[in-house]
Amino acid sequence: MVPAFAFSVDTVHEVVVCVLPTRNGACYMFHPPFDPRSAAHRSRQARLSFSPVRLVVPLLLCLLLSQLLSQWSLLAPPALAAGLHVRPSAPASLTYQQFLKQGRPGSGSHAPASHPHTLPPLPGAYNAHTADYSTLPPSAEPATMQPLSQPLSQAFLSGQPGTPALDLVGSDHRLEVQLQPGALDLSHASVPGGKSPSGPLTMHLSQVHGHFAAAFTELGRYQLQLLNSHGQVVSGIQLRTPVTIIYHYQPSELAALGLDPSTLVLTWPTLIAVAEAAHKPTTNLIIPMQDNATVHTLTATSHVLDPSPFDTGGGDPQNQSPPTTHLAAVQGNSGQLAYSYPIQVPPGPGGFAPQLALTYSSGDPNNRHSRTSPANNVGDGWTLSLGSVSADVYPNTGTTWYFISGVANVGDRLIPNGSFYDTEHISYLRIQQVTNNGQPCFHVWDRSGTYY
């Protein structure tokens, strides 16, 4: 059955009927039977006047009905199918085990499917850690002093009058150790195994490494040990008079390391760690070094003599961060006013707490000459530090080391790996160095793909 729609339009005694079959959407126009009188009448009317409605209205009606009928035809198949019998689907027979045995249909290999043993890397993450630790350059300047040994006579140990003092000077003329006769108290001394030292004793002075530039800076690390005749280290030595340790420096040496000679100390890091673990004072283990700007020497007087290494020039190794100043100061290079204020924030999950500091410099507003330039979101001249990568150049070698601090809660030394860097301790950070306006910059991604 073909539905039809009929519309009539009375335009000067004319009837228009539009019939639209549903299958082909054709539009037919039918007029009343031919009447000569009416034809003559219409001919006279056409000559007298012309109305566009006669053509536009039928055309619009046909277009409208075609659209309605095309949409109705889309509903016809479901309506017709509703009255038909639908055959049910066959019951499922393919199990998961059968699917695994089929392999990959359509591919070249029909081997049984297997689960992957390794997971693909996260987008933006860098899971490789391929630094060759066997060929790494040293962290600090290599030792520049040859080991020095001086046998101790019985007259020196007993402190007989007229016995000269012990004066050990390193081969590089940097470190000097002075010890008075009879200064060593060996009543409580022992060698490994708990026995008392016997036979001739020798004072041995050696250097562990030279300059070390990082969060704390050292002029060098040394060891002053007393050895018995079998080369065993004597421990438990007490001093009747202090030992004097002198470091001979060059002004350019301290300037290259950024050190102020009036603030340097001598420390015993191993003894400091033991004292802090036992909640004991460390007063005698952190010794200020007196600067003599005339002869360029740093002198420390220690009442402690231990086989463990001692550091010259650096601060307490257990506290590597510089002291926080709460006073505005003048920057040495630019002369601008600078101020820094730390922001304490509560730790989040896992104890993570970013190290934030508000820093002000008058150089930022002074270098902005436009009256309409806006300040940043922190404030005019202020910046909020969220992490950094610093560079340290070791003197006499020209080696540049980069250190990451406060980025993704990681602080470590960077190891070159092609165009990327790895952290010395595995952190799975992807670190890439780029050049921006002639300056080295760094892009950092963590394992979750967060970009810094």
Side-chain angles (χ1 to χ4, degrees):
M1 178 178 180
V2 179
F5 298 87
F7 288 83
S8 62
V9 178
D10 186 4
T11 58
V12 194
H13 307 290
E14 183 177 12
V15 177
V16 178
V17 179
C18 183
V19 179
L20 292 140
T22 60
R23 298 187 182 276
N24 53 18
C27 179
Y28 301 95
M29 297 180 64
F30 296 92
H31 299 274
F34 179 76
D35 185 357
R37 291 175 298 178
S38 60
H41 174 73
R42 288 193 298 270
S43 177
R44 288 193 301 271
Q45 292 292 336
R47 289 194 302 268
L48 293 176
S49 62
F50 174 77
S51 176
V53 179
R54 298 182 178 183
L55 297 177
V56 175
V57 173
L59 181 60
L60 293 177
L61 291 176
C62 291
L63 292 176
L64 177 62
L65 295 175
S66 298
Q67 294 294 330
L68 294 175
L69 203 55
S70 64
Q71 296 179 5
W72 178 87
S73 63
L74 296 176
L75 301 177
L80 295 176
L84 300 178
H85 175 70
V86 180
R87 182 179 180 180
S89 301
S93 59
L94 182 63
T95 64
Y96 179 69
Q97 297 298 330
Q98 293 174 349
F99 170 75
L100 294 179
K101 293 180 180 180
Q102 287 183 356
R104 296 182 178 180
S107 62
S109 175
H110 293 280
S114 60
H115 297 284
H117 298 286
T118 59
L119 296 177
L122 294 173
Y126 184 60
N127 292 331
H129 196 86
T130 57
D132 187 2
Y133 289 93
S134 61
T135 59
L136 291 180
S139 301
E141 180 187 41
T144 59
M145 187 192 78
Q146 298 296 327
L148 177 63
S149 296
Q150 177 64 47
L152 302 181
S153 63
Q154 190 63 34
F156 177 84
L157 293 175
S158 61
Q160 293 181 3
T163 305
L166 179 66
D167 190 4
L168 301 178
V169 181
S171 59
D172 58 355
H173 302 285
R174 287 183 176 179
L175 191 72
E176 181 179 1
V177 176
Q178 297 177 352
L179 191 64
Q180 299 299 321
L184 301 179
D185 182 3
L186 304 178
S187 59
H188 301 283
S190 63
V191 296
K195 297 181 179 181
S196 300
S198 60
L201 300 178
T202 303
M203 188 64 70
H204 182 76
L205 178 63
S206 61
Q207 184 182 22
V208 180
H209 61 72
H211 297 161
F212 181 82
F216 66 98
T217 303
E218 299 176 5
L219 294 173
R221 174 170 288 189
Y222 300 87
Q223 276 185 302
L224 183 62
Q225 296 176 330
L226 185 64
L227 307 178
N228 65 358
S229 57
H230 300 285
Q232 295 176 313
V233 178
V234 180
S235 59
I237 302 174
Q238 297 180 356
L239 294 177
R240 297 186 180 97
T241 58
V243 58
T244 301
I245 300 176
I246 306 173
Y247 188 89
H248 300 264
Y249 69 89
Q250 297 294 329
S252 59
E253 175 186 6
L254 300 187
L257 295 173
L259 295 177
D260 182 0
S262 63
T263 61
L264 302 182
V265 294
L266 184 144
T267 59
W268 298 87
T270 303
L271 299 181
I272 290 175
V274 174
E276 290 182 344
H279 303 285
K280 294 182 179 180
T282 59
T283 306
N284 296 330
L285 306 177
I286 304 175
I287 308 167
M289 303 187 76
Q290 303 300 322
D291 175 39
N292 189 330
T294 303
V295 295
H296 302 156
T297 59
L298 298 168
T299 304
T301 302
S302 175
H303 295 271
V304 175
L305 182 60
D306 191 77
S308 62
F310 62 89
D311 296 334
T312 58
D316 184 359
Q318 304 303 319
N319 183 11
Q320 301 180 7
S321 58
T324 302
T325 175
H326 294 282
L327 300 176
V330 177
Q331 294 176 332
N333 294 333
S334 61
Q336 302 294 338
L337 182 68
Y339 177 81
S340 180
Y341 187 82
I343 300 177
Q344 300 293 334
V345 295
F352 169 77
Q355 297 180 358
L356 304 180
L358 276 173
T359 304
Y360 175 82
S361 175
S362 60
D364 187 16
N366 292 343
N367 292 330
R368 188 172 59 253
H369 306 292
S370 175
R371 296 182 178 179
T372 59
S373 296
N376 56 22
N377 55 355
V378 182
D380 197 9
W382 292 87
T383 56
L384 181 63
S385 61
L386 296 174
S388 64
V389 175
S390 59
D392 286 319
V393 180
Y394 285 90
N396 305 328
T397 61
T399 304
T400 301
W401 279 106
Y402 292 102
F403 297 84
I404 190 170
S405 176
V407 179
N409 201 27
V410 173
D412 205 350
R413 184 174 61 148
L414 301 184
I415 307 301
N417 181 19
S419 60
F420 293 88
Y421 283 82
D422 292 330
T423 53
E424 184 175 5
H425 304 88
I426 297 178
S427 63
Y428 298 107
L429 291 181
R430 182 181 184 183
I431 305 171
Q432 182 183 21
Q433 181 182 8
V434 297
T435 302
N436 187 9
N437 295 329
Q439 298 295 329
C441 300
F442 291 85
H443 299 309
V444 183
W445 296 266
D446 62 13
R447 297 189 68 178
S448 62
T450 303
Y451 166 72
Y452 301 85

